[in-house]
Amino acid sequence: MAAANSRPESPTSTPTLSHRDLVHVDAALEMHTGDGPVPAINAPPALFGAGGPMLKRFDQSAASSKMPSQSATPPISVVGIGNKVAKPDYSEAKIVVATVGLPARGKSYLSNKLMRYLKWLEYDVKVFNVGQLRRSRARQRAMTSGQREDHTAEYFSHSNEQATRLRDKLAEDSLEMLIQWLKDGGNVGIHDATNSTHNRREKMKQRVAREKGFTVIFLESICDDPAIIAANVALKVSSGDPDYKDMSPDQAKADFLRRIRAYEQVYETITEPHLSYLKIINVGNQVVMNHIRGYLQSRIAFYLMNLHLKPRSIFMSRHGESQYNVEGKIGGDAPLSERGQAYAKSLPGLIKDNIGDAPLTVWTSTLQRTIQTAHFLPYTKLTWKSLDELDAGVCDGMTYEEIEQAYPEDFANRDEDKFNYRYRGGESYRDVVVRLESVIMESERQENILIIGHQAILRCLYAYFHNFPQADLPYIKIPLHTVIKLTPKAYGCDEERYTLPIDAVDTHRPKPKAAVAKQPQLDEVPGSTAKRQYYVEEETA
């Protein structure tokens, strides 16, 4: 009797090899230098093992982002040295994030941070703030009636039945607007409101459940730290809130504290075991999760777990001028020029003047020009492969003039869409954003850090902290021998720039005139963006 796992041979099943397969076999035989027998067909040859000589060749022939195939006739879609990268398909992602919490507990802070992070990763995200909708509708009614509505603390009292019905209707309408936006193509809609009772949350869950494929996650921000609450109250009354535009700061503070007490009388923390929720306690000191499932939900949870409000600064600097910078070449692993070495020696004094005796961690890439720039800094250093410069593939080590001459069509294509263009065998800016996600996550956990990086890398990080759109990201000006200091605040970042008096070449290539639409003045240093924005888009029929 034949063994259970033996297979009868079929005299008619003759395998056929394509021309592409034969090329790969020829290449493997050509590179095989051992004296032993050729490995069996059903066992992977050692050549393909980790570190084996065929691994790189296999990747280059198989991956669309690597070198062209060795086949005699490449596919029609493979043209020149590179191609454009398509935006990821997130069309199936439909999540409602509903905030829960008392006023001045950081709900809007968490909402806006989450929006910025997910938009940076190219999800379509929008915050639907019920307070902004309330003000917008009151403004519209005032234009009709000529009378301004009273939205002081009494309006938020649970004993004010008429106002309670109005506030419930606003929350419901805001949710309907959010759901319609998701249906129209959005990925994550954030319902920024107190949502402070079991009844309100149950109604929201039932409404979202009526939409196929939609999920709701409740994000509760709990805070009992008096210092954080006081800071949030101060921000509320001093940042241009229209509710308090005709009050003195003391009157506004007293009224806002009365509003908080009105909510405290009816507030019910999340205890419903069937809900999907995150509880963020004292902005990250403790996190409780329940029924968080799936990739995007887990991504949201992990990001929010890493946030904190401790005062800190994020310093960014490109490496000192390198030999390749002087020669006009891109990529490579060139050492510092003489002026770059002078910058490295002067950098510690500049950082010390700004940070004093506070602790600091220095992050560099694995390339020698960043490591040399950090050499004289008396701080703990961490090397990140993720911080390596954008890989220029087959153009590595060339000047832009050489690229334009050798590959004119690709040179023009990259100028047309620099964020999406991927060098053959290399990367696009979109690829760099993806690999920098771990760096962003860790930067949110840290206190004071100095990132010594490369032009493309720092553009991507800067765009995250300042919420720049992808189309503008590749043109942000990050000059050599300049330190950028970002100070995160509740609703953005303050920025300062310090340029050392050491000459360096200018490697910035401005956006081509043909591609310029509504280009912001990226060369100008933005002022404080840490002010809460009180506006709402006009409702559409």
Side-chain angles (χ1 to χ4, degrees):
M1 187 176 240
N5 60 357
S6 64
R7 296 182 180 177
E9 295 185 6
S10 172
T12 60
S13 59
T14 303
T16 59
L17 294 177
S18 68
H19 177 70
R20 190 190 194 97
D21 295 327
L22 291 172
V23 170
H24 282 230
V25 172
D26 287 343
L29 292 174
E30 178 184 342
M31 294 188 65
H32 183 68
T33 57
D35 297 328
V38 176
I41 292 295
N42 61 355
L47 293 168
F48 285 92
M54 280 301 294
L55 183 60
K56 185 174 182 180
R57 167 106 34 118
F58 179 79
D59 283 342
Q60 290 173 339
S61 64
S64 62
S65 64
K66 299 295 181 181
M67 294 294 291
S69 167
Q70 297 183 50
S71 59
T73 305
I76 295 176
S77 60
V78 178
V79 179
I81 61 168
N83 54 18
K84 292 182 181 179
V85 187
K87 180 179 178 179
D89 182 7
Y90 293 137
S91 58
E92 296 303 313
K94 302 292 181 184
I95 294 181
V96 177
V97 177
T99 64
V100 176
L102 293 167
R105 263 55 176 186
K107 299 185 301 300
S108 294
Y109 166 76
L110 294 175
S111 297
N112 284 282
K113 288 287 287 186
L114 179 61
M115 178 184 67
R116 186 182 308 170
Y117 165 69
L118 293 176
K119 286 178 71 173
W120 188 72
L121 293 175
E122 295 191 87
Y123 288 94
D124 199 357
V125 189
K126 186 173 180 179
V127 175
F128 292 79
N129 184 285
V130 175
Q132 292 174 357
L133 181 61
R134 168 177 59 80
R135 283 184 285 268
S136 175
R137 290 189 174 177
R139 201 163 48 242
Q140 293 169 4
R141 288 191 293 267
M143 291 174 63
T144 303
S145 66
Q147 294 182 342
R148 183 185 170 195
E149 296 180 10
D150 181 7
H151 287 176
T152 55
E154 285 69 26
Y155 177 86
F156 300 92
S157 171
H158 188 65
S159 60
N160 187 337
E161 294 183 2
Q162 181 182 3
T164 299
R165 286 194 298 271
L166 288 172
R167 289 188 287 111
D168 286 345
K169 182 66 165 57
L170 284 166
E172 292 170 4
D173 289 352
S174 181
L175 180 60
E176 290 300 328
M177 293 163 64
L178 185 158
I179 289 172
Q180 185 58 53
W181 178 81
L182 289 177
K183 288 180 178 180
D184 292 340
N187 301 131
V188 180
I190 303 175
H191 191 261
D192 185 4
T194 56
N195 297 316
S196 55
T197 64
H198 296 310
N199 182 56
R200 167 80 69 83
R201 294 191 288 269
E202 187 58 33
K203 286 181 178 178
M204 293 186 69
K205 178 175 174 57
Q206 292 177 6
R207 174 62 189 92
V208 174
R210 284 159 43 194
E211 305 296 335
K212 185 178 179 181
F214 284 29
T215 304
V216 60
I217 302 174
F218 291 96
L219 171 60
E220 183 173 16
S221 181
I222 299 174
C223 183
D224 56 14
D225 185 329
I228 295 177
I229 295 173
N232 288 345
V233 170
L235 179 65
K236 174 76 172 181
V237 301
S238 65
S239 59
D241 188 335
D243 288 343
Y244 300 121
K245 68 175 185 177
D246 296 325
M247 293 187 187
S248 69
D250 289 341
Q251 289 175 318
K253 180 179 178 179
D255 184 82
F256 189 51
L257 291 174
R258 286 195 299 273
R259 183 190 301 188
I260 294 173
R261 287 193 290 272
Y263 274 105
E264 287 175 336
Q265 293 176 7
V266 297
Y267 181 75
E268 297 170 320
T269 187
I270 297 179
T271 56
E272 303 94 312
H274 62 288
L275 295 183
S276 295
Y277 66 81
L278 283 163
K279 286 191 180 188
I280 310 293
I281 301 170
N282 289 328
V283 198
N285 283 352
Q286 185 179 354
V287 178
V288 179
M289 294 187 291
N290 191 60
H291 292 310
I292 299 298
R293 303 184 180 94
Y295 175 68
L296 182 53
Q297 292 186 38
S298 300
R299 202 171 193 172
I300 290 170
F302 187 58
Y303 175 73
L304 294 170
M305 287 167 60
N306 284 282
L307 299 180
H308 68 83
L309 284 178
K310 296 177 183 177
R312 62 182 180 133
S313 292
I314 299 167
F315 296 89
M316 296 181 182
S317 172
R318 288 176 66 184
H319 53 77
E321 181 189 73
S322 72
Q323 292 288 354
Y324 264 24
N325 291 148
V326 175
E327 297 168 16
K329 297 178 179 179
I330 65 173
D333 192 16
L336 296 181
S337 69
E338 185 175 341
R339 293 185 299 197
Q341 293 170 6
Y343 177 71
K345 293 175 182 177
S346 301
L347 188 57
L350 174 60
I351 298 300
K352 189 74 173 178
D353 287 345
N354 275 276
I355 203 167
D357 296 326
L360 176 78
T361 303
V362 179
W363 295 357
T364 72
S365 74
T366 65
L367 301 176
Q368 65 172 326
R369 55 191 183 273
T370 64
I371 295 172
Q372 289 176 353
T373 304
H375 177 72
F376 299 101
L377 290 161
Y379 303 104
T380 301
K381 300 180 181 73
L382 180 67
T383 301
W384 287 75
K385 178 67 176 173
S386 296
L387 288 174
D388 283 2
E389 178 62 303
L390 185 152
D391 188 347
V394 297
C395 295
D396 191 71
M398 298 175 69
T399 66
Y400 284 113
E401 291 75 15
E402 290 170 341
I403 298 171
E404 185 174 18
Q405 183 176 1
Y407 310 107
E409 183 178 344
D410 292 273
F411 187 85
N413 287 340
R414 188 165 192 264
D415 271 354
E416 180 187 341
D417 190 355
K418 194 173 179 181
F419 181 78
N420 293 303
Y421 183 85
R422 176 188 285 161
Y423 285 107
R424 178 63 55 186
E427 294 178 298
S428 66
Y429 270 91
R430 173 174 274 135
D431 296 324
V432 172
V433 165
V434 171
R435 72 166 153 99
L436 284 175
E437 184 182 4
S438 59
V439 176
I440 286 295
M441 201 72 71
E442 186 62 21
S443 73
E444 291 290 3
R445 289 185 60 248
Q446 295 291 322
E447 295 185 23
N448 299 312
I449 55 174
L450 165 60
I451 303 172
I452 299 178
H454 307 268
Q455 182 167 241
I457 300 301
L458 296 187
R459 280 171 171 165
C460 293
L461 296 176
Y462 185 96
Y464 164 76
F465 285 107
H466 276 310
N467 201 25
F468 272 109
Q470 282 88 359
D472 297 330
L473 183 157
Y475 301 100
I476 297 171
K477 191 163 188 177
I478 310 287
L480 289 165
H481 299 177
T482 299
V483 173
I484 300 172
K485 178 183 178 181
L486 300 178
T487 305
K489 296 293 181 67
Y491 294 97
C493 285
D494 285 347
E495 176 178 331
E496 300 168 76
R497 292 195 180 201
Y498 305 93
T499 301
L500 285 172
I502 300 170
D503 289 340
V505 296
D506 183 1
T507 63
H508 181 75
R509 295 181 69 242
K511 197 169 189 176
K513 291 181 179 179
V516 173
K518 296 180 180 179
Q519 174 72 1
Q521 298 300 313
L522 299 180
D523 293 358
E524 297 179 4
V525 179
S528 173
T529 58
K531 187 173 182 178
R532 182 171 183 169
Q533 299 298 309
Y534 289 100
Y535 65 90
V536 67
E537 295 183 12
E538 296 299 323
E539 296 177 67
T540 56

